[in-house]
């Protein structure tokens, strides 16, 4: 599903065909399990939404943004972990406020951890290294494209996950 939705979008004929095939396979599985005392629970691990290049914001178009980052943007194009130089924190927040606040929300990574957004209980130490100083969560169907280094030549993906819209949730 992921690769097909990325390439063609969630409302494409390709996804419709994929779901029909999946539905057929699930029906077969359930009929085979019918004699057993088995419950089948099907759930998704994330939502998906179609995006467009018109709603792709490129960080290289925001003067000074990339210079604030001590590492390239991480995460999905709709939920970006930002690792910011300590001496650039205020500048980063100002750039976000000026150029991105209409299109995204900005959170401190440590606040998301404390609010248990990533789950309850003590976080794994490996998780602590993956969460940025800031996390940018895009609104609507906007994406934040880093288009630096390896992503420069990468084909644009229509379908994206990582969003928090009612539709996706």
């Amino acid at each position: 599903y992921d690769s097909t939705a990325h390439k063609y979008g969630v409302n494409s004929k390709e996804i419709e065909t994929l779901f029909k095939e999946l539905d057929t396979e699930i029906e077969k599985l359930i009929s085979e399990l019918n004699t057993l005392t088995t419950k089948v629970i099907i759930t998704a691990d994330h939502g998906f939404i179609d995006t467009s290049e018109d709603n792709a914001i490129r960080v290289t178009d925001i003067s000074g943004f990339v210079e604030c980052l001590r590492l390239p943007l991480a995460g999905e194009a709709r939920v970006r972990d930002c690792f910011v130089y300590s001496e650039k924190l205020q500048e980063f927040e100002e750039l976000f406020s000026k150029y991105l606040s209409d299109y995204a929300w900005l959170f401190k990574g440590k606040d998301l951890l404390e609010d248990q957004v990533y789950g309850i209980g003590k976080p794994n130490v490996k998780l602590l290294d993956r969460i940025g100083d800031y996390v940018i969560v895009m609104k609507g169907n906007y994406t934040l494209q880093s288009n630096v280094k390896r992503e420069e030549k990468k084909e644009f993906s229509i379908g994206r996950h990582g969003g928090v819209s009612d539709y996706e949730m």
Side-chain angles (χ1 to χ4, degrees), residues 58-165:
R58 287 162 179 72
V59 297
T60 52
D61 292 342
I62 302 171
S63 180
F65 190 93
V66 174
E67 291 75 17
C68 290
L69 302 175
R70 57 187 169 86
L71 293 171
L73 291 179
E76 291 291 328
R78 298 199 43 241
V79 179
R80 288 297 199 172
D81 287 284
C82 305
F83 300 90
V84 179
Y85 289 112
S86 58
E87 66 274 13
K88 299 271 191 173
L89 296 173
Q90 183 176 347
E91 181 181 348
F92 180 83
E93 287 183 15
E94 289 169 1
L95 288 168
F96 176 87
S97 181
K98 184 174 182 180
Y99 296 106
L100 293 171
S101 61
D102 288 343
Y103 311 102
W105 297 282
L106 181 65
F107 300 95
K108 290 184 177 177
K110 65 179 181 163
D111 291 343
L112 295 178
L113 273 172
E114 288 173 10
D115 293 342
Q116 299 182 333
V117 171
Y118 294 99
I120 58 174
K122 184 178 178 184
N124 185 300
V125 293
K126 291 181 181 180
L127 175 63
L128 302 176
D129 292 337
R130 294 190 62 180
I131 298 171
D133 303 303
Y134 293 95
V135 178
I136 296 176
V137 178
M138 304 306 290
K139 297 176 183 177
N141 69 342
Y142 285 95
T143 59
L144 187 59
Q145 305 292 321
S146 69
N147 61 328
V148 291
K149 295 189 179 178
R150 70 175 180 85
E151 287 192 17
E152 236 172 71
K153 297 176 184 173
K154 195 173 181 182
E155 184 179 308
F156 182 82
S157 294
I158 298 168
R160 295 288 186 155
H161 38 80
V164 295
S165 68

